[in-house]
Amino acid sequence: MHAYATDAKERETIPLWLAAAAVALTLGLNSSLKFLKLEVPWWVDAPSVMGFYGLLHQWFDQYLWTQKVGPLAFSSIPNLRGTWRGTIHSSYGGGTDVPDIILYVRQSWTGINVRLETENSGSFSIMAAVNTQESSEPSLKYEYMNEPSALSAESMQTHRGTANLKLSPDGLSLDGDYFTGRGRQSLGTMDFKLVSRDYLNRQQALSQPFLAP
């Protein structure tokens, strides 16, 4: 995965809260060791603040950011991870509809990877930005590199492109525009609906229903 930009202000404050929690856990550990009259090597005790911070950051980055306590969420960044299915409406060749497109999103609090698969090609994200529901346009924006499969038509070439997909209020739909660069020079629209939070293979993704709100 690669890093992604976001308008979420918590990127500035969460590390401070994690650092404070790491200090508190370290003090608790030291107090417990003294109370139990246990001695540990200096190399176990010395890096405990950084060790706790590393564990907390990893926990938050991979899991906790997606969780809620009642109506309160640990993060305002939309959780896009999972398998999406949709259709591309392309200007290529005078206008073409390409159904059964699979979009895979792997995401943590700090990293993301967007991979799109058709029968004839695949693409992967190079850079991305995720806007929250509090922004003027909740969305997933990314630049990608597309590579045709070995058995695709000779007219298909490796090319770069950009996509701007707006996120629905319920977080279960993505739709928007895409533009390709030199080597393809086409544009169009894409619309996707979430199939599963898991990463399914193509056949599973095509056979399962969309997630309900």
Side-chain angles (χ1 to χ4, degrees), residues 43 49 57 63 102 123 131 136 139 162 171 178 180 187 201 210:
W43 48 267
V49 173
H57 190 279
Y63 173 74
I102 309 301
S123 66
N131 288 341
S136 58
S139 60
T162 58
Y178 78 92
T180 64
L187 53 86
N201 61 41
F210 299 118

Side-chain angles (χ1 to χ4, degrees), residues 89-150:
H89 312 280
S90 174
S91 66
Y92 186 75
T96 305
D97 286 352
V98 185
D100 298 337
I101 307 299
I102 309 301
L103 184 75
Y104 297 99
V105 181
R106 297 182 182 274
Q107 183 187 11
S108 67
W109 188 60
T110 58
I112 198 169
N113 175 265
V114 184
R115 183 164 56 91
L116 185 147
E117 289 188 359
T118 73
E119 289 185 342
N120 299 314
S121 67
S123 66
F124 56 90
S125 61
I126 301 171
M127 57 188 299
V130 178
N131 288 341
T132 67
Q133 294 287 2
E134 286 72 33
S135 69
S136 58
E137 185 181 76
S139 60
L140 166 65
K141 307 173 189 285
Y142 68 98
E143 180 180 352
Y144 62 85
M145 178 68 73
N146 182 278
E147 297 179 340
S149 64

Side-chain angles (χ1 to χ4, degrees), residues 46-68:
S48 55
V49 173
M50 293 303 297
F52 276 126
Y53 180 82
L55 291 173
L56 289 172
H57 190 279
Q58 182 73 7
W59 183 40
F60 190 91
D61 186 60
Q62 298 296 324
Y63 173 74
L64 196 59
W65 73 279
T66 64
Q67 304 304 305
K68 292 183 177 181

Side-chain angles (χ1 to χ4, degrees), residues 170-213:
D170 62 9
L172 299 178
S173 298
L174 286 167
D175 64 86
D177 308 317
Y178 78 92
F179 306 88
T180 64
R182 185 177 181 179
R184 188 72 171 177
Q185 296 182 335
S186 64
L187 53 86
T189 62
M190 300 189 290
D191 53 83
F192 298 95
K193 293 185 181 298
L194 186 63
V195 175
S196 173
R197 290 295 181 188
D198 298 322
Y199 305 109
L200 310 178
N201 61 41
R202 182 174 179 81
Q203 294 303 317
Q204 290 174 325
L206 292 177
S207 62
Q208 290 200 15
F210 299 118
L211 289 184

